[in-house]
Amino acid sequence: MDFKPEAQNALKKKVSLPVVGGILGAAALFGLVNNSVLMTDAGYTYVHQNNLTGDLDVFNQPGIHFRMPFLSKITKYDQVITVSYGNTTGEDFYQRLPPIQVRFADTYVGEIPVTFRFKLSQDPEAIIKMHREFRNNSNLIDALLVKNARNVTVITATQYTGEEFFQGGLNQFKSKLGDQLRDGIYMTERRQVEVEQIDLAPVGVNQNNSNQLQRTQQLVWKTVPMLDAQGNPKRQDNPLRQYGIAVTQVTIGDPKPEGQLDKLLTDKKRLVADRIRAIQEQETSKAQAETEQLRKEIQRTREVQDAQRNKELAIISQQKEVEVARQIAEREIVEVEKNKRLAEVDKEKELAIAEANLAIQKANALSAEYEAKAILAKGRAEAEILKAKYDAYGANRDVYLAELNRDVSTALYNNLKNYHVEMPKNYFGGEGGKMTTNLDVITGFGALGILEQNEKLANQVKQ
């Protein structure tokens, strides 16, 4: 069935109007629902402004919240904000700021790359106050955080000289910068102060090492904090405190000095390097001289020790010889004493033997004397008998005397054969003027000889 174009257009209009109306209604419903619900994310603080009533609500936790549709405004703030000067790697506009240019107390200029981290307050009243004054996140960063951080950095730099900052004062600068950001800028005054600097001492012959330092005083104009009665620095009001914004981190990069200051520092480095080199050469020469002196001292000590050792060895050798000689002398003395004692013992033994022999000889002599007396008595008796007999035989007197002499000689030979009879030295006279007989004379001579022999033997033993 064919329709004319006009009929076809009329039919399309009849069909599309309900569909379009449904779509528009669904879209309006979706927009109404979307504008009635606020979904918050972590890390952000949301300020809800009800344009109908003028109320402000703060949401700093993730969740779903109701809002006045079409008559409200949502402003989102970063809970943690990083402001970086001199960092070109960031994507946000406030992270592409150039390094902060500062002027130090000695008029030198430098650039300091520094990064600050701020944390917004969790107090709704502080957030509302901040929102009323800055209205959005960008204005907060640009008008408050960026300017305040730059201002505190510039003011803190005036409390240092350029040389002081670049020669070890960076850490102290960072500490003071964070302290003034958190608690307020120091109230300062500009005055001339005496700055104590520690430099390497000039090269000298008596230096102990190449890093020997000396303290120097220099007058400079500096911005000095004013102190209260307790000795604490006076402070200005901290603009961040009224909004509850805290400074959580301050990080300083590699600062760069201006050309003149850099040249001054470079010249000092060169001078220090030349000085250290000169001192090292001096120390090397000194060390070599000390080494040579030490070597000589060691050699001298070794020679002294060798001489001392030789002396001690010689003394020990002499002491050994003296000891050997002493021992030999003592041994000889002992031998002499021994021989002397043995001789004394031998003499005592011989004396004892001689005394014993003397006693024996005396006993023998007495025995012989008594025996001789007995024989003499017997002879006399026999002589008396013979005399009487011979008297009786008066006529044969000579015969009888010869026989008697024969018998006496025989008896004497038998009894006195072991005795040596010498010629008599004494004379025995007879009794009453009478001549003794031969027997009396021989017996007396024998007794005298025995006694004389015993006395001689006794005298030899005593000698």
Side-chain angles (χ1 to χ4, degrees):
M1 182 177 177
D2 295 331
F3 294 95
K4 292 181 179 180
E6 294 79 2
Q8 293 179 358
N9 292 332
L11 182 60
K12 288 180 180 180
K13 289 180 180 180
K14 290 181 180 180
V15 174
S16 60
L17 287 175
V19 174
V20 172
I23 294 173
L24 292 176
L29 180 61
F30 178 77
L32 179 62
V33 172
N34 187 43
N35 280 274
S36 299
V37 176
L38 173 63
M39 300 180 67
T40 58
D41 297 328
Y44 296 96
T45 296
Y46 298 85
V47 177
H48 170 241
Q49 177 178 332
N50 190 335
N51 294 327
L52 183 62
T53 61
D55 296 333
L56 294 175
D57 298 319
V58 177
F59 306 113
N60 50 28
Q61 298 296 330
I64 299 175
H65 309 276
F66 175 76
R67 57 180 292 190
M68 178 63 66
F70 306 111
L71 296 176
S72 63
K73 180 180 179 181
I74 302 298
T75 305
K76 185 171 70 172
Y77 292 92
D78 296 321
Q79 291 183 354
V80 177
I81 301 173
T82 302
V83 177
S84 180
Y85 296 88
N87 185 359
T88 58
T89 60
E91 295 181 357
D92 297 335
F93 76 94
Y94 54 85
Q95 290 182 330
R96 296 195 296 271
L97 299 173
I100 300 177
Q101 189 177 50
V102 298
R103 185 176 296 275
F104 299 103
D106 53 1
T107 70
Y108 287 114
V109 176
E111 292 184 349
I112 304 177
V114 58
T115 300
F116 305 92
R117 287 180 64 86
F118 302 94
K119 183 178 181 180
L120 300 187
S121 174
Q122 298 293 314
D123 183 14
E125 293 182 359
I127 295 297
I128 291 174
K129 181 179 180 181
M130 179 189 70
H131 175 71
R132 291 182 185 277
E133 296 185 12
F134 298 101
R135 296 184 302 279
N136 57 58
N137 195 60
S138 298
N139 290 339
L140 172 67
I141 295 172
D142 184 59
L144 179 63
L145 302 183
V146 170
K147 291 183 178 180
N148 186 67
R150 183 187 297 275
N151 180 55
V152 175
T153 303
V154 171
I155 292 175
T156 305
T158 60
Q159 302 171 19
Y160 296 86
T161 64
E163 291 185 59
E164 182 182 10
F165 179 83
F166 286 99
Q167 291 183 350
L170 183 61
N171 191 41
Q172 188 181 17
F173 173 84
K174 173 185 173 182
S175 177
K176 284 189 175 182
L177 177 60
D179 178 65
Q180 293 181 93
L181 277 171
R182 296 182 185 93
D183 299 325
I185 299 174
Y186 300 148
M187 297 180 64
T188 60
E189 59 180 351
R190 183 171 174 79
R191 66 176 179 217
Q192 194 175 30
V193 297
E194 192 176 60
V195 178
E196 184 180 71
Q197 294 183 343
I198 300 178
D199 295 324
L200 290 172
V203 179
V205 294
N206 296 322
Q207 286 185 341
N208 295 325
N209 56 72
S210 60
N211 295 323
Q212 184 171 343
L213 303 178
Q214 70 174 4
R215 296 180 180 272
T216 59
Q217 304 293 333
Q218 182 179 1
L219 291 175
V220 297
W221 286 95
K222 290 181 63 175
T223 302
V224 181
M226 300 172 62
L227 303 179
D228 58 14
Q230 289 76 28
N232 299 320
K234 298 180 179 180
R235 299 177 183 269
Q236 301 177 12
D237 291 336
N238 183 7
L240 302 180
R241 180 177 300 171
Q242 58 182 326
Y243 308 117
I245 300 175
V247 180
T248 60
Q249 184 180 357
V250 177
T251 305
I252 297 179
D254 185 17
K256 294 182 180 181
E258 65 167 298
Q260 291 183 353
L261 179 58
D262 186 51
K263 185 177 183 300
L264 176 63
L265 297 175
T266 302
D267 291 342
K268 278 196 171 184
K269 288 181 181 179
R270 181 178 53 79
L271 292 175
V272 169
D274 293 341
R275 176 189 182 282
I276 293 175
R277 187 181 303 106
I279 292 180
Q280 286 178 346
E281 292 176 356
Q282 183 185 64
E283 289 181 350
T284 301
S285 301
K286 183 179 178 181
Q288 291 175 352
E290 291 177 353
T291 302
E292 184 64 25
Q293 182 67 24
L294 182 61
R295 186 180 296 110
K296 292 181 180 179
E297 288 293 330
I298 294 172
Q299 182 66 25
R300 188 183 67 83
T301 303
R302 185 180 294 116
E303 292 176 355
V304 170
Q305 290 176 349
D306 292 341
Q308 184 68 23
R309 188 181 299 108
N310 293 332
K311 178 181 176 181
E312 292 175 354
L313 291 176
I315 293 174
I316 292 172
S317 178
Q318 293 294 328
Q319 291 177 348
K320 183 177 179 182
E321 293 179 0
V322 171
E323 181 66 20
V324 170
R326 186 182 65 80
Q327 292 181 358
I328 292 174
E330 289 180 354
R331 185 166 63 250
E332 291 177 352
I333 293 172
V334 171
E335 290 293 333
V336 171
E337 292 291 335
K338 177 181 177 183
N339 294 333
K340 180 180 177 182
R341 183 59 183 163
L342 290 175
E344 292 176 354
V345 171
D346 291 340
K347 290 294 183 181
E348 290 175 357
K349 182 178 179 182
E350 291 177 359
L351 179 59
I353 294 173
E355 290 176 352
N357 290 334
L358 178 60
I360 293 172
Q361 293 297 331
K362 285 183 179 180
N364 290 334
L366 290 174
S367 177
E369 182 180 358
Y370 284 117
E371 186 177 358
K373 287 181 179 180
I375 294 173
L376 180 60
K378 183 179 177 182
R380 286 178 178 177
E382 290 179 352
E384 290 294 331
I385 294 172
L386 288 175
K387 180 179 179 183
K389 183 176 178 180
Y390 289 145
D391 287 341
Y393 297 101
N396 297 315
R397 181 172 177 271
D398 295 331
V399 174
Y400 285 112
L401 287 173
E403 291 177 354
L404 182 60
N405 289 332
R406 184 194 62 187
D407 294 335
V408 171
S409 298
T410 302
L412 287 173
Y413 177 78
N414 291 329
N415 291 285
L416 300 175
K417 61 182 179 179
N418 293 326
Y419 295 92
H420 178 70
V421 180
E422 296 180 355
M423 290 302 294
K425 298 179 180 181
N426 300 294
Y427 171 74
F428 293 91
E431 296 180 359
K434 294 173 63 177
M435 182 66 68
T436 58
T437 62
N438 292 333
L439 180 61
D440 294 332
V441 173
I442 293 170
T443 303
F445 285 161
L448 289 173
I450 293 172
L451 290 175
E452 192 176 45
Q453 185 178 4
N454 288 335
E455 288 177 355
K456 289 180 179 181
L457 182 61
N459 290 331
Q460 291 176 357
V461 170
K462 290 181 178 180
Q463 292 176 356

